[in-house]
Amino acid sequence: MLLDEIRARFNEARKTKDDIAKSALEAVIAGVLLKQKSGKGEVTDSDVIECVSKEIKVQTEIAELYKEKDVTTSILASNKIAVLKEFLPKQLTEEEVLAIIKEKDIYDDCSPKTKGMIIKSIMPLLVGKFDKSKVNGLVEEYLKTKC
C-alpha cells in the first residue's frame, strides 16, 4: 500500500536526517490521519494520492509566493515537491486527457450541463494523474471543436 511506502520513506528520512523529505512526508501522513479520523475509516491508495496531490499544490503555491521575496523558502518548497512526486502515478499529458474526454463523451449537445457530466465522469480517472484545475479548460476546448 502507498501509505506504507510513504511511512517507510519517512522513517528513512528521519534516520538519515533528511529534513526536506521528512517535512514533506510528515504533512502527507498528517493529512491521511485527518482523513482516517474524520470517520472515513480505512484510507485507500486513492485517498493517499489525493493527500500527496494536495500537499504538492500547497508547496507549489509557497514556491510561487516566495519566488521573489525569499528564494531559500522557494527552493525548499521545490525540493519538497520533488520528494512528493515520487509517490504519484505516471502523469497524463493533455492529449491523453483529451482522448479520455472524447471516450467518455456520450452526449449529443455541447451545453454547460454536458460539460459538467463529462467532468464528473472523468475526474475519478484523473485523481493524482493530472492537474484538476486544467480539466475544465480541456473539456471546454473539446466541446468547442465538437460543435
Side-chain angles (χ1 to χ4, degrees):
M1 189 169 164
L2 184 59
L3 183 57
D4 296 333
E5 291 176 37
I6 290 174
R7 283 192 172 130
R9 177 77 166 84
F10 172 74
N11 287 332
E12 177 186 320
R14 272 190 21 223
K15 290 175 186 172
T16 60
K17 300 196 185 318
D18 182 354
D19 291 335
I20 294 170
K22 179 181 162 254
S23 174
L25 297 172
E26 201 168 40
V28 172
I29 292 169
V32 171
L33 288 174
L34 276 174
K35 269 194 184 287
Q36 282 178 329
K37 291 182 179 180
S38 69
K40 185 164 189 323
E42 195 62 34
V43 293
T44 63
D45 279 353
S46 179
D47 295 327
V48 176
I49 289 171
E50 188 179 314
C51 289
V52 171
S53 297
K54 190 180 287 187
E55 186 60 24
I56 286 175
K57 183 177 179 186
V58 168
Q59 293 302 324
T60 303
E61 289 173 1
I62 290 170
E64 290 298 316
L65 183 67
Y66 286 101
K67 190 178 261 182
E68 303 290 323
K69 301 174 188 168
D70 186 359
V71 178
T72 309
T73 304
S74 179
I75 292 170
L76 182 67
S78 297
N79 291 339
K80 287 180 180 181
I81 292 168
V83 169
L84 293 171
K85 282 188 176 180
E86 296 172 21
F87 298 99
L88 287 180
K90 178 186 170 288
Q91 298 296 293
L92 298 173
T93 64
E94 287 188 5
E95 291 77 26
E96 291 170 324
V97 174
L98 280 170
I100 293 171
I101 291 169
K102 195 172 194 174
E103 177 186 317
K104 294 292 180 181
D105 180 22
I106 56 171
Y107 309 100
D108 295 329
D109 64 336
C110 298
S111 69
K113 186 175 182 178
T114 300
K115 182 176 104 176
M117 297 299 284
I118 293 172
I119 290 173
K120 185 178 177 181
S121 69
I122 66 168
M123 287 311 275
L125 302 172
L126 303 179
V127 173
K129 298 177 185 173
F130 192 75
D131 184 0
K132 291 179 183 178
S133 64
K134 296 179 183 177
V135 173
N136 187 32
L138 287 176
V139 172
E140 283 181 359
E141 178 185 317
Y142 167 74
L143 289 175
K144 283 179 187 173
T145 60
K146 177 184 167 188
C147 294

